[in-house]
Amino acid sequence: MTPFQPVKQVKASEEVFNQLKSAIFNGQYLTGEKLPSERELIESFCVSRTVVRESIKALEASGLVQIKQGATGGAFVKELTFERLTSATKDLFFMNQMTFSEICEARLNIEPMVARLAAENCTEEFAEKLRLACSKENDSLAYPETIMLRTHVHYLLADMCNNRYLTAIVKSMIQLVGKITEEFQPSTDQIHPAGLHNVIVEAVIAGDGAKAEREMYLHLKYFLNITQEIEQQYREKTRI
């Protein structure tokens, strides 16, 4: 067996885009800083003006840079928002610079607290929404519908915690997990069987914050163990 890997045909503009994106992610260019000028990029990459412009447009479309016109204009690195954080973290995962386990560990440390707060703020209206979400978790096994159905309880709990910052963080993490999961599409019943939220929902509706916190922790710990195995299989497959 040779150590060589199959050659992938990549457009020059995609390669320039990927290198610039990596430079931003690695902190070579920070928020508010200007990327090298068009002329500098042409000389650095030894490509045409068209290639550079296509790459910069792709960075803008990805929400990584903002294009400013005028004598002092150019491509400037944008501030990290929750929306961009989700997109950027997804890119880091597929660039093998972040693991699924790291993302799930962050949820493990935040969402149990959110479940406790949700129990403290539960109303009859939210209780009905939670029950309905649990009852619909098996309505579809097709991606991406199944992801939405089996994460809806988490979205509702985030809305119930009465802390908009925590709500935004949790929803960002859930969206990120969903987008990554959709890419390699493991068996839904393997990664997240229906009914796992029932005991959490019962505790929240009962106003038992301590139990809601404990059960959410156990739920996410189980999820973390499953995703570690699935990620290992995915990484091995992509190395072939």
Side-chain angles (χ1 to χ4, degrees), residues 21 36 57 73 105 111 113 118 160 173 182 199 208 227 236:
K21 181 173 68 174
K57 285 182 179 179
E105 284 173 359
E111 285 199 67
M113 174 177 58
M160 295 168 64
M173 290 191 295
E182 189 178 345
V199 65
D208 190 340
T227 54
E236 290 174 355

Side-chain angles (χ1 to χ4, degrees), residues 99-118:
T99 67
F100 208 12
S101 296
E102 288 174 301
I103 301 165
C104 293
E105 284 173 359
R107 292 183 67 188
L108 188 64
N109 284 280
I110 294 175
E111 285 199 67
M113 174 177 58
V114 168
R116 174 174 55 78
L117 293 172

Side-chain angles (χ1 to χ4, degrees), residues 139-168:
D139 281 6
S140 174
L141 297 179
Y143 285 88
E145 292 84 2
T146 187
I147 296 175
M148 294 304 299
L149 290 171
R150 299 197 185 185
T151 57
H152 190 43
V153 163
H154 291 272
Y155 279 100
L156 288 172
L157 295 176
D159 285 332
M160 295 168 64
C161 78
N162 203 28
N163 183 311
R164 286 172 290 186
Y165 190 64
L166 285 174
T167 299

Side-chain angles (χ1 to χ4, degrees), residues 107-109 111-113 115 154 192 196-197 199-200 210-226:
R107 292 183 67 188
L108 188 64
N109 284 280
E111 285 199 67
M113 174 177 58
H154 291 272
H192 198 309
L196 292 182
H197 297 131
V199 65
I200 300 169
K211 184 176 181 180
E213 184 174 16
R214 182 174 64 254
E215 293 297 340
M216 178 61 81
Y217 179 87
L218 293 174
H219 167 55
L220 292 175
K221 187 67 175 176
Y222 165 83
F223 185 72
L224 173 60
N225 292 336
I226 295 295

